[in-house]
Amino acid sequence: MSIHYDDTRKLFSLTTAHTEYQIKIGPEGRLLHLYYGKKVGGFDMGYLRHYQDRGFSGGSRRAKDGSLLEESVDLAAQEYTGNGVGDYRITSVSAVSPDGSRSVDFYYRSHEILSGKPEIPGLPSVRGDGADVKTLRITLSDPVTGLGVILSYSVFDAYDIITRSAELFNEGSGAIRLEKAASLCLDFPNGPFELIHFHGRHCMERQPERVRLTHAIHTVSSRRGMSSHHHNPFVILARPSCTEESGECCGIMLMYSGSFKAEIEQDQEDSVRAVIGIQDENFTWELKSGAHFCTPEAVLSFSADGLGLMSRQYHRLIRDLVLPPRHRGKKRPVLINSWEAAYFDFDEEKLLHLAQQASELGIDMFVLDDGWFGKRNFDDAGLGDWTVNLEKLPGGISSLAEQINRMGMSFGIWMEPEMVNEDSDLFRSHPDWILADPGRRPSLARNQMVLDMGRKDVRDYLFDAIDTLLRSANIEYIKWDFNRSLSNFYSAVLPKERQGETAHRFMLGTYELLDRLTKAYPDLLIEGCSGGGGRFDLGMLYYSPQIWCSDNTDPIARLTIQEGTSYGYPPCTMGSHVSASPNHQSGRSTPLETRGVTAMCGAFGYELDLGRLSDEEKEKIREQIAYYRKIEHLIREGSYYRLVSVLDGMPFRAFEYVLPDASEALVGIVTTDAEANAPFPFVTLKGLEENAVYRLDGTDRLFSGAALMYGGITLPVQTGDYPAVQLLFRREA
Ligand code: GLA
């Protein structure tokens, strides 16, 4: 029984295979949080709370005999807070009633327990179909304002995952203006905790950072209209002693691709509150009488056995229940992408030459990147005009795709649907289709402007343009790019009092377009992209099973980018390519082997001018592809272990993939800083069967699982520039 309600104690107990989450209806009807952690068998964890009268935390009431009637809301652990009624910590909601009052106080009204999991209208959410999942829906309401909220908790027993979202509704007679509507409030009554988050910049996404919480509010957020390169909608609260392998931690991830905000506050009692949801800055939503507003879903992964397990729980859930069903567990094509090979400078002959060489090397798919449409010879023109540039490609896309198919490869193409250049036919005919404030020229970035995806006419235009393109040629893949942060959040079709809805409506519009497209073309493989990994989040992964992880293809920089990404997202979602050396972004030179080892850690491909390679290098690429075919199921389905992480400060990194039945394990070790007279690189493997015998592939060396896990392996001293090795262990029959 994954959800249990004990009416005598007014206690909800939500259990997964190893975790438990407890909620209590308080004496006054407020919804209190009791516990989230390792399973405690339904034991009422309310005993943990002591009542202490703390000055300036009002609202508590005692009976004459000294017993506590009601705890101060400023001290209570709550499931979803009201606002303005005495809890001075971060709020879940901010709302203005028709009479101008801002206070909200929620009380329990009812609950229901459902088998399965309802979808969240208009938003991507973890898929309930086919999973063993139950959902608890608790309705709270504020009798004074008429504002209510339905809190949904879906319990994925076998995954050790609980998802949460909130649906606000208005039962009053006038419109309520929402100014904040968080998805989740989660109180950890007893600290201390550390915060792990993933910051970055273009070409340097998701750098892990671990900091001790202080008595302040820590905010991780984006105001960019996209989840962003700079922060990811994902934070981890970890006990200070938590490591990869041991200790408690809790991941909090938001399934949303727009502006978001995660706030973490350590309060006067050293309790920690985490609140995550849509960014509230510049956000408003007019909630008419009778209307509902759904927040994005937050996904919780608690582990009592370290960060590695927390990540693997996310990986399994995302692979099984977030990625588009048709692509679940399916082989991904090894692709060649034209961008770093040709940039905007190509014609049909050049592309076919690149494709011919790729097919000779055994590559599966040719992807034509930016530059094939409109007057697109640089980034200052053409976006929005999704018809082929016949000067570059006289036979059109269909003839190019046919010729590539004849070479034995499939064909994919780049698009950036949500954007438009000023110099485009689309903008000339529809100047009002962009986000722009009245009387102000919108701020440009990469010479482009942003289409108002909240408009149906814009979405219909884009659907028709993509549909026409897909019907015109055998296109099996789209790289869906998004190359600027949003600004000038003003929509020509919204009244002035609803302009605060523009950014969220943009996101709802993009999701609706992707939904329509993926329903019409369920086998189409979409690779998400945003100047690399600027929109690497669950919202996009719901539609695109892989996302270009970064515009930085330097394999050494990629180690950290991919490792940072791995805390939340499975390796099979990370688009990763072998590119030229010296690298185009960093100027660093690295061996082809090392570029192969790091690119094979994700959805593998190539992105370089194959014509510049020697015969010897081409031979190596053939070998790399053959090796990838041998190990790709490990990348796709394997359990992932960070053996030596960037946070360990070692001169090398190591990672491992283990098949669920422990029959095969792949270890990658990359030297990032060769030292003179260095110690032997040493790692211990994880996840093997102790008593089984494993053979190191390609050798006659045998090891017991226990030896590899407890004794480990050492490598000879590694010298030179960035050497890398891959070791494949296979269980003997
Ligand atoms: C973005 C992508 C690149 C490439 C260019 C094309 O930067 O991340 O991979 O597609 O756009 O303009």
Side-chain angles (χ1 to χ4, degrees), residues 32 49 71-78 87 89 187 269 273:
L32 306 177
R49 290 296 292 167
E71 192 178 8
S72 163
V73 280
D74 196 29
L75 304 172
Q78 297 194 63
D87 183 346
R89 298 166 293 175
D187 280 341
E269 292 191 315
R273 169 169 292 176

Side-chain angles (χ1 to χ4, degrees), residues 491-509:
S491 165
V493 292
L494 287 176
K496 62 178 189 299
E497 64 282 4
R498 299 185 69 167
Q499 289 299 330
E501 301 180 13
T502 306
H504 183 53
R505 287 188 182 278
F506 178 92
M507 233 26 272
L508 294 176

Side-chain angles (χ1 to χ4, degrees), residues 198-233:
F198 304 90
H199 71 99
R201 54 187 187 272
H202 179 222
C203 287
M204 223 47 188
E205 300 88 337
R206 290 171 295 287
Q207 306 290 301
E209 192 163 72
R210 183 168 178 160
V211 293
R212 184 72 185 249
L213 287 182
T214 56
H215 293 89
I217 297 175
H218 299 249
T219 303
V220 173
S221 74
S222 161
R223 297 183 188 84
R224 297 169 176 269
M226 58 193 286
S227 49
S228 89
H229 305 82
H230 305 76
H231 289 290
N232 197 260

Side-chain angles (χ1 to χ4, degrees), residues 536-556:
F536 207 116
D537 55 64
L538 288 185
M540 293 312 288
L541 284 174
Y542 185 85
Y543 305 101
S544 59
Q546 59 194 61
I547 295 180
W548 182 226
C549 201
S550 178
D551 271 349
N552 188 346
T553 55
D554 174 327
I556 303 307

Side-chain angles (χ1 to χ4, degrees), residues 451-728:
L451 288 173
D452 181 0
M453 295 298 293
R455 289 178 70 136
K456 184 167 180 317
D457 46 5
V458 170
R459 297 195 300 272
D460 286 346
Y461 164 80
L462 290 172
F463 181 83
D464 289 345
I466 301 169
D467 186 51
T468 307
L469 180 70
L470 292 178
R471 283 172 194 277
S472 75
N474 187 17
I475 299 172
E476 297 181 42
Y477 159 112
I478 288 181
K479 179 172 169 187
W480 185 292
D481 214 336
F482 185 84
N483 274 320
R484 59 161 292 178
S485 303
L486 273 53
S487 63
N488 305 91
F489 292 100
Y490 191 97
S491 165
V493 292
L494 287 176
K496 62 178 189 299
E497 64 282 4
R498 299 185 69 167
Q499 289 299 330
E501 301 180 13
T502 306
H504 183 53
R505 287 188 182 278
F506 178 92
M507 233 26 272
L508 294 176
T510 293
Y511 289 146
E512 194 208 68
L513 176 61
L514 281 163
D515 195 55
R516 199 170 157 195
L517 198 66
T518 48
K519 282 188 175 131
Y521 295 93
D523 289 317
L524 178 73
L525 174 60
I526 300 181
E527 175 154 356
C529 181
S530 171
R535 249 188 349 190
F536 207 116
D537 55 64
L538 288 185
M540 293 312 288
L541 284 174
Y542 185 85
Y543 305 101
S544 59
Q546 59 194 61
I547 295 180
W548 182 226
C549 201
S550 178
D551 271 349
N552 188 346
T553 55
D554 174 327
I556 303 307
R558 272 291 185 123
L559 286 173
T560 307
I561 296 168
Q562 293 174 183
E563 182 190 311
T565 309
S566 81
Y567 282 85
Y569 309 96
C572 67
T573 61
M574 302 180 205
S576 191
H577 300 167
V578 170
S579 63
S581 177
N583 180 267
H584 290 191
Q585 294 80 40
S586 66
R588 180 170 15 214
S589 298
T590 51
L592 184 52
E593 289 81 2
T594 304
R595 282 176 272 150
V597 170
T598 53
M600 279 186 217
C601 292
F604 185 48
Y606 289 83
E607 184 155 346
L608 73 171
D609 184 353
L610 299 171
R612 289 173 178 259
L613 299 181
S614 65
D615 289 346
E616 195 192 332
E617 286 173 311
K618 285 187 178 163
E619 194 43 43
K620 274 191 188 159
I621 289 184
R622 265 189 211 101
E623 287 166 16
Q624 274 178 352
I625 295 172
Y627 191 78
Y628 182 69
R629 305 235 189 263
K630 199 155 93 173
I631 54 104
E632 65 184 316
H633 58 294
L634 278 142
I635 311 293
R636 209 170 52 238
E637 302 154 24
S639 301
Y640 179 75
Y641 294 85
R642 291 176 289 269
L643 300 182
V644 177
S645 137
V646 61
L647 299 176
D648 294 324
M650 303 286 282
F652 66 96
R653 309 280 173 78
F655 37 85
E656 182 193 7
Y657 305 78
V658 185
L659 282 189
D661 67 359
S663 61
E664 290 181 36
L666 174 73
V667 178
I669 303 178
V670 183
T671 301
T672 50
D673 188 10
E675 295 172 353
N677 202 12
F680 304 117
F682 163 71
V683 294
T684 50
L685 273 63
K686 313 287 175 206
L688 304 181
E689 206 180 297
E690 280 185 359
N691 296 322
V693 174
Y694 290 85
R695 178 185 296 278
L696 176 59
D697 184 56
T699 75
D700 53 10
R701 296 179 67 192
L702 298 176
F703 303 83
S704 76
L708 292 172
M709 290 195 292
Y710 313 134
I713 49 169
T714 52
L715 292 184
V717 170
Q718 304 284 295
T719 54
D721 283 336
Y722 314 106
V725 293
Q726 275 165 315
L727 305 171
L728 177 61

Side-chain angles (χ1 to χ4, degrees), residues 109-220:
R109 178 193 287 176
S110 63
H111 74 268
E112 56 177 344
I113 296 171
L114 314 171
S115 282
K117 176 175 188 282
E119 289 182 357
I120 302 180
L123 285 164
S125 58
V126 178
R127 298 170 205 267
D129 41 315
D132 182 13
V133 54
K134 285 205 171 61
T135 300
L136 167 66
R137 283 160 62 87
I138 306 179
T139 302
L140 311 179
S141 61
D142 176 6
V144 177
T145 60
L147 184 64
V149 61
I150 303 165
L151 301 179
S152 288
Y153 301 78
S154 291
V155 182
F156 293 86
D157 193 336
Y159 293 87
D160 279 318
I161 294 276
I162 294 177
T163 64
R164 284 191 53 182
S165 64
E167 180 177 334
L168 290 129
F169 59 88
N170 179 1
E171 291 180 326
S173 52
I176 294 176
R177 182 181 162 99
L178 293 177
E179 295 186 343
K180 179 177 187 180
S183 298
L184 158 144
C185 167
L186 183 55
D187 280 341
F188 296 85
N190 303 297
F193 281 98
E194 292 181 347
L195 167 69
I196 304 173
H197 67 110
F198 304 90
H199 71 99
R201 54 187 187 272
H202 179 222
C203 287
M204 223 47 188
E205 300 88 337
R206 290 171 295 287
Q207 306 290 301
E209 192 163 72
R210 183 168 178 160
V211 293
R212 184 72 185 249
L213 287 182
T214 56
H215 293 89
I217 297 175
H218 299 249
T219 303
V220 173

Side-chain angles (χ1 to χ4, degrees), residues 202 337 339-340 343-344 369-371 376 379 414 416 446 479 481-483 529-533 548 550-551 607:
H202 179 222
N337 178 295
W339 182 242
E340 287 197 25
Y343 295 102
F344 291 113
D369 209 281
D370 197 354
R376 186 78 167 170
D379 66 20
W414 180 96
E416 196 180 351
R446 210 195 188 210
K479 179 172 169 187
D481 214 336
F482 185 84
N483 274 320
C529 181
S530 171
W548 182 226
S550 178
D551 271 349
E607 184 155 346

